Amino acid sequence: MLSVVLFHLDVDLFPGGFLGVDIFFVISGYLISNVIFNEIAYRRFSIANFYERRIRRLFPALFLVLFVTAIIAYWLLMPFDLRNYFSQLTATTLFSANMLFWHQGGYFDVAAIEKPLLHMWSLAVEEQFYVLYPVILVALYKWAKRYIPAVVAILAVSSFAGAVWASYVWPTSAFYLAPFRAWELFAGCLLALYGHRQHEPSMPVRNGMALAGIGLVLYSVTGIDENTVFPGAGALMPVLGTVLLIYAGTGHNKTWVAHITTWRPAVILGLLSYSLYLWHWPIIVFLRYYLIRPFTPAEQLAVFLLSLLLAWVSWRYVERPFRGKSGLFTRKQVFTLAGIVMAVLIGFGTLGYLTNGMYKTLPAQAEKIIATLQTPRPLQRTVSDSPLILDQNDSVIDLGGTTESPIYLVWGDSHASALSPALTWQGVSGRMIVRYGCPPLLDVNIFRGRVTDGKCAAHNAKVMRYLEDNPGISAVFLVARWGVYSNTEVYNSGRSKPLPLSANGGAENKAVFAAALNETLNQLRQRKVRVMMASSIPDGLGRWQRSGNH
């Protein structure tokens, strides 16, 4: 889980850190299948025992996190975000969070940073898998024991094939839904089936397998990013790497990787992994929600250490006391208490959702602004036949709901579209001209490497000619993601591809930006146009700022 935490903290070293969940699925499938196979073989397995262990293992720390986050969410979140949190709370308690987030959008989208329980999707997938998996194994063991490996292999291959296909056709479904993730758990199950082998590979072979496994895992978490088509074939490397590592480590003599994994700090981190996973994401979400900016390196470290501290407290005083048959409460009490707490959380979450965040109110002025933002605004009309449109990246929209000649212009990139509700007035005729990824600056282009298509400069020249042909426009709003164009380092810190105004980027880019801005302002002033530059919308969301396709 360490790679997941570092990925969520925007540590550049691990752009594929989210693959830690896929690695965990394989380990989970292996460990739990080993227990199930052994108990079935010795006729000790029961569904009641299995789910009692699952409840003792998962529920105590999970319930604690849910109660704590509910308190913080009520104190911190805006009413509409609080209402969304309550829906997440209910879905998480029902182990259907993946279904909720699948319905809402992608894991890498902008809104992801506003979902304190987004990480619970993986827990939902795992538990949905374990609802049916033990029952299937028991039935196969009773009536078709010899076909267990074949059936599990067929299920794994079918799930993988479905994931590869859905990654292109239904990418969000492929990411969130259990049928497309099951193959990763089945990979661990198959490994458990063949784990008790008679002829153990030699140590050199096992060390080579361990080296290959660690190489695949490290390449995955450092070389794959959210732009990779995923989780079909893109998840194959970390899954295969994990399988090789586990297989190499199941012999009588330890491989060099096994020696590393038994190192005391690694063991402690493994013990804390579940609680660390539960705590880290709500901390990140709530702090970013409060700060509305990226973490500084010092804050990244502080969040990581706080997550570790809470994970240790949770493991030591919440997880451990409930573990095993000798843990707190009898089986009947465990099931009863689990049912009561789930009912309370579901009721609380449902009530909070239905009452729009428990009727939470804000100061009158804030309520007025929110009401304005949430009010439908039928004041815009797309002009699809405008000669200003070069291609699908251009957008021309009439503002104000009138057919009169415009008296103001909103000119910019995609951030202009985002701010258009605030720059639209009923009955006041205006026009918005947007080209995605292009700043409203004359004589500049966007370079990808040392190549440009020249369309930014062509588009902006057309806009300037439009101003010449419409002398009634007396005000121009320049809106763009200024930090991207004035400082490519700012953009790169969010893991997006740089969009420099100079083929050489860096310091030269700043000079190009300054010269282009001066030229643009001078030409606008010569036309007696009042110019207003709108600041960018909050841009502290790092990698979550992309719309994504996962």
Side-chain angles (χ1 to χ4, degrees):
M1 288 301 125
L2 183 61
S3 67
V4 177
V5 177
L6 295 176
F7 169 76
H8 286 160
L9 282 170
D10 285 340
V11 176
D12 291 338
L13 186 61
F14 296 101
F18 58 91
L19 293 166
V21 172
D22 305 80
I23 294 168
F24 169 77
F25 282 157
V26 179
I27 296 172
S28 174
Y30 173 75
L31 294 176
I32 292 179
S33 293
N34 261 332
V35 172
I36 294 175
F37 292 149
N38 288 333
E39 290 187 348
I40 290 177
Y42 290 101
R43 302 185 184 280
R44 294 198 305 264
F45 180 79
S46 77
I47 296 295
N49 282 338
F50 177 79
Y51 286 116
E52 180 188 358
R53 283 197 301 268
R54 298 297 293 169
I55 290 172
R56 289 183 179 277
R57 171 73 177 90
L58 301 177
F59 281 30
L62 174 63
F63 288 161
L64 174 64
V65 170
L66 293 181
F67 277 113
V68 171
T69 55
I71 294 170
I72 298 174
Y74 188 80
W75 169 75
L76 177 64
L77 299 183
M78 301 287 280
F80 43 87
D81 291 324
L82 180 59
R83 184 173 187 259
N84 289 334
Y85 167 81
F86 281 124
S87 69
Q88 298 168 39
L89 177 64
T90 301
T92 297
T93 308
L94 290 171
F95 293 100
S96 59
N98 61 325
M99 303 294 290
L100 173 68
F101 299 127
W102 164 66
H103 177 72
Q104 290 182 345
Y107 181 73
F108 300 104
D109 66 12
V110 175
I113 196 63
E114 299 171 0
K115 300 173 182 177
L117 301 180
L118 177 66
H119 62 319
M120 298 298 182
W121 74 269
S122 61
L123 196 61
V125 168
E126 189 186 15
E127 291 315 297
Q128 290 163 15
F129 179 84
Y130 289 127
V131 166
L132 294 177
Y133 178 63
V135 177
I136 293 172
L137 284 184
V138 170
L140 288 172
Y141 199 90
K142 184 174 182 179
W143 290 299
K145 180 179 178 180
R146 61 185 293 186
Y147 296 111
I148 290 178
V151 171
V152 174
I154 291 171
L155 291 173
V157 171
S158 300
S159 174
F160 176 70
V164 173
W165 172 75
S167 294
Y168 291 94
V169 181
W170 296 331
T172 303
S173 301
F175 191 95
Y176 280 122
L177 300 187
F180 303 121
R181 290 288 192 162
W183 69 276
E184 300 174 7
L185 290 138
F186 278 130
C189 303
L190 286 169
L191 187 61
L193 277 170
Y194 294 103
H196 304 289
R197 51 193 179 279
Q198 295 181 350
H199 301 291
E200 179 180 306
S202 65
M203 278 301 297
V205 172
R206 288 173 56 215
N207 275 318
M209 293 172 65
L211 182 62
I214 198 69
L216 287 171
V217 169
L218 288 177
Y219 174 78
S220 299
V221 298
T222 58
I224 292 176
D225 61 25
E226 63 265 33
N227 295 300
T228 304
V229 177
F230 189 83
L236 191 59
M237 279 195 296
V239 169
L240 179 58
T242 306
V243 167
L244 288 173
L245 282 171
I246 296 174
Y247 186 85
T250 54
H252 293 90
N253 298 314
K254 291 182 178 180
T255 63
W256 63 274
V257 174
H259 281 289
I260 294 175
T261 58
T262 56
W263 184 40
R264 183 64 175 168
V267 172
I268 293 174
L269 194 60
L271 293 173
L272 302 182
S273 61
Y274 174 60
S275 283
L276 179 62
Y277 184 72
L278 292 180
W279 282 110
H280 84 282
W281 180 245
I283 295 172
I284 291 172
V285 170
F286 288 140
L287 284 176
R288 281 185 172 172
Y289 192 94
Y290 181 79
L291 294 172
I292 321 181
R293 61 167 175 78
F295 291 144
T296 65
E299 288 167 343
Q300 287 176 317
L301 178 60
V303 170
F304 179 73
L305 294 177
L306 176 61
S307 300
L308 276 179
L309 175 62
L310 290 176
W312 180 83
V313 172
S314 183
W315 170 77
R316 177 65 180 82
Y317 297 105
V318 180
E319 285 191 62
R320 281 184 59 184
F322 285 89
R323 293 283 186 86
K325 291 185 177 180
S326 59
L328 294 174
F329 306 118
T330 64
R331 175 187 294 174
K332 183 178 180 180
Q333 291 171 330
V334 164
F335 280 105
T336 301
L337 284 172
I340 292 173
V341 176
M342 288 180 70
V344 170
L345 289 170
I346 292 169
F348 185 60
T350 303
L351 180 63
Y353 181 80
L354 294 177
T355 57
N356 293 312
M358 296 288 188
Y359 300 113
K360 183 176 180 179
T361 59
L362 297 170
Q365 187 63 23
E367 292 283 1
K368 183 178 179 180
I369 294 173
I370 292 171
T372 301
L373 291 174
Q374 294 180 331
T375 300
R377 305 177 69 88
L379 306 174
Q380 302 180 357
R381 182 182 67 87
T382 300
V383 184
S384 59
D385 59 347
S386 172
L388 292 165
I389 296 177
L390 292 172
D391 54 37
Q392 70 274 11
N393 289 321
D394 288 337
S395 178
V396 179
I397 297 174
D398 282 335
L399 308 176
T402 75
T403 58
E404 299 176 1
S405 298
I407 64 172
Y408 72 96
L409 173 69
V410 180
W411 177 15
D413 60 7
S414 59
H415 280 218
S417 296
L419 283 180
S420 64
L423 300 174
T424 304
W425 297 274
Q426 180 71 52
V428 180
S429 181
R431 177 160 281 198
M432 179 172 65
I433 303 176
V434 167
R435 181 170 179 83
Y436 299 113
C438 286
L441 300 174
L442 296 173
D443 300 324
V444 298
N445 279 305
I446 297 300
F447 286 83
R448 289 167 176 83
R450 302 186 67 84
V451 179
T452 179
D453 59 13
K455 289 186 177 181
C456 284
H459 166 81
N460 289 324
K462 278 193 170 187
V463 176
M464 190 58 72
R465 287 196 294 272
Y466 173 79
L467 284 169
E468 294 174 358
D469 295 337
N470 290 269
I473 294 178
S474 59
V476 174
F477 293 87
L478 300 179
V479 187
R481 194 178 178 191
W482 301 113
V484 172
Y485 310 111
S486 62
N487 186 353
T488 55
E489 287 78 8
V490 171
Y491 201 35
N492 290 335
S493 68
R495 294 186 188 278
S496 298
K497 294 180 180 179
L499 296 177
L501 308 180
S502 164
N504 297 322
E508 183 177 324
N509 190 78
K510 297 179 182 179
V512 172
F513 174 84
L517 180 59
N518 285 331
E519 176 63 19
T520 304
L521 294 176
N522 287 335
Q523 289 207 27
L524 290 173
R525 291 188 186 113
Q526 288 174 13
R527 288 166 175 77
K528 307 299 182 183
V529 173
R530 184 183 178 191
V531 182
M532 286 153 285
M533 292 185 65
S535 179
S536 301
I537 59 175
D539 192 20
L541 305 184
R543 65 170 60 83
W544 309 102
Q545 192 67 15
R546 66 186 295 270
S547 58
N549 64 348
H550 297 298

